[in-house]
Amino acid sequence: KSTDGGESWNISLTESAFADARPSTIAFIDARTGFIGGDGGRILRTTDGGLSWSIVHGLGYIGTIADLHFRDEQTGIAATYSSTILLTSNGGRRWDEAIPSDEHSIRMITASPEGTFFAIGLTSQNDYDLLRSLDGGLTWEQRGRLPVHYEISRPEMVQSLYALSDQEIWAGATYGILLHSTDGGVSWDRSELRDPIVTPFSTGTDIFFFPPDTILYVRSNTLEVSTDGGKTWDSRSTISGRAIRSAVFVTPEIGFALLPSEFARTSDGGRTWDIQHDFTPSLLHFFDTQSGVLLWSRSDEDDLGYLMRTSDGGVSWERYPTNERIGWNRWFWLSPDVG
């Protein structure tokens, strides 16, 4: 955790909670209350901003926490790569089991702005269905089957889920498949945004929405842009087909990305990219068009980790040592000063 914008870091050791295993997902409600989930069904909770952690679920539990999502400060859901989900109604102090459907393994969860929970369930036949809960996860109904088809030679798999409202839902899948529902997931429109050099499994994981009608769909080496709510698309390939590892768009025109491990920025919606070659970051986050952070592990300094900060849109960077050799998987920022 950093409370001074990355100039210094406090490290929380969780080896005792994840013995011979690892945490895999993180979610915070506010600057003090947050959760870590991972192997062994472990869920850790902090109420002091990460200074100390308590195990609130997982002792004697078989399973892995796949996803954590809080609708508000009291109501949360955890997916477990199985038909069982975990529910809390008291801010994560206690977790109870529920089974949305015996026929589905729950893979990802999201909530609409109105507070409705949606989940993607996978059947034993590799079919993907959308489930919906109107009561905080206690009961679920199957809404509709997503039009993706899993075959050994072409494994179409859902990779992301977004609920813009109780009725409008988007999902991204492998092979540049984009799914859209306007009736709460009962029926779906399917689009295939293809490019001959796209990596099938690097598509569908990043989608950015800008009201009223602009959508940015990030693929492995192409940015697909729609300005009419997804009816038509403009394909904008990266320089020499360079892979997009991660991307953040703060406006339809201004975005930042790792291509694939070099920092790049665009000011024209992905038509052109300006690449910096003097360092190779591994994590990326921007708060607005000017302020952002990167993680850089320097190989010539025994992989010592640095937090890089910019206040001019990535033109120049200040670096702050973490004094640790680190390989972070993911991070979560509440504000430019608290992460």
Side-chain angles (χ1 to χ4, degrees):
K1 175 192 175 182
S2 174
T3 58
D4 54 12
E7 295 186 25
S8 62
W9 289 83
N10 293 318
I11 307 298
S12 293
L13 301 179
T14 60
E15 286 93 336
S16 60
F18 292 97
D20 300 321
R22 65 173 186 171
S24 60
T25 187
I26 185 171
F28 269 75
I29 297 173
D30 53 40
R32 296 188 62 82
T33 305
F35 302 85
I36 291 174
D39 293 341
R42 292 288 194 273
I43 298 177
L44 277 58
R45 180 175 185 263
T46 180
T47 57
D48 55 14
L51 297 179
S52 61
W53 296 84
S54 300
I55 299 177
V56 291
H57 186 271
L59 297 176
Y61 189 83
I62 299 174
T64 297
I65 304 302
D67 194 14
L68 276 168
H69 194 95
F70 275 80
R71 183 182 68 183
D72 51 51
E73 64 181 14
Q74 297 296 327
T75 309
I77 292 184
T80 65
Y81 287 117
S82 71
S83 59
T84 299
I85 62 172
L86 304 173
L87 304 175
T88 181
S89 59
N90 60 3
R93 298 175 182 84
R94 174 184 171 86
W95 295 82
D96 298 311
E97 294 184 0
I99 298 178
S101 169
D102 291 327
E103 301 174 354
H104 295 90
S105 172
I106 307 302
R107 296 307 175 96
M108 58 194 69
I109 298 169
T110 192
S112 71
E114 296 89 343
T116 299
F117 277 124
F118 293 94
I120 294 291
L122 179 65
T123 71
S124 58
Q125 289 76 39
N126 291 312
D127 293 319
Y128 289 88
D129 294 317
L130 185 78
L131 307 178
R132 182 182 74 174
S133 175
L134 301 174
D135 56 8
L138 296 176
T139 61
W140 295 79
E141 62 172 330
Q142 182 174 325
R143 298 293 288 171
R145 179 153 292 175
L146 281 68
V148 292
H149 311 286
Y150 186 97
E151 298 177 359
I152 297 299
S153 59
R154 183 184 165 87
E156 297 179 359
M157 299 181 292
V158 178
Q159 294 181 299
S160 59
L161 181 67
Y162 302 85
L164 299 189
S165 69
D166 280 355
Q167 299 302 315
E168 186 174 11
I169 305 168
W170 292 82
T174 53
Y175 296 95
I177 297 169
L178 186 61
L179 308 173
H180 183 214
S181 174
T182 57
D183 57 9
V186 175
S187 60
W188 295 83
D189 294 323
R190 169 177 164 140
S191 303
E192 294 188 34
L193 312 178
R194 296 189 178 184
D195 186 286
I197 56 176
V198 158
T199 302
F201 300 104
S202 297
T203 61
T205 55
D206 287 307
I207 306 175
F208 298 92
F209 301 93
F210 296 97
D213 297 312
T214 300
I215 306 172
L216 306 183
Y217 181 83
V218 181
R219 306 175 63 196
S220 60
N221 56 14
T222 303
L223 182 68
E224 304 283 356
V225 180
S226 174
T227 57
D228 56 11
K231 296 182 180 66
T232 60
W233 295 86
D234 177 26
S235 296
R236 303 170 185 176
S237 298
T238 58
I239 305 167
S240 303
R242 294 169 68 96
I244 302 175
R245 266 188 60 196
S246 63
V248 174
F249 276 84
V250 292
T251 75
E253 299 295 321
I254 299 177
F256 310 90
L258 303 183
L259 300 179
S261 57
E262 293 171 308
F263 173 73
R265 61 181 176 270
T266 179
S267 58
D268 56 10
R271 295 179 181 87
T272 60
W273 292 87
D274 178 25
I275 299 177
Q276 291 187 1
H277 300 281
D278 46 344
F279 60 94
T280 55
S282 58
L283 287 177
L284 167 75
H285 186 84
F286 268 77
F287 305 98
D288 51 44
T289 60
Q290 299 299 313
S291 302
V293 290
L294 297 173
L295 177 70
W296 177 29
S297 297
R298 293 198 62 175
S299 58
D300 58 350
E301 292 187 10
D302 199 18
D303 292 325
L304 180 67
Y306 287 93
L307 183 96
M308 312 287 288
R309 296 192 68 91
T310 181
S311 58
D312 55 12
V315 176
S316 60
W317 295 86
E318 296 182 48
R319 66 179 187 178
Y320 303 95
T322 64
N323 298 316
E324 296 282 340
R325 290 185 291 275
I326 50 178
W328 293 347
N329 294 325
R330 190 180 304 177
W331 57 14
F332 189 101
W333 288 87
L334 291 163
S335 71
D337 291 327
V338 182

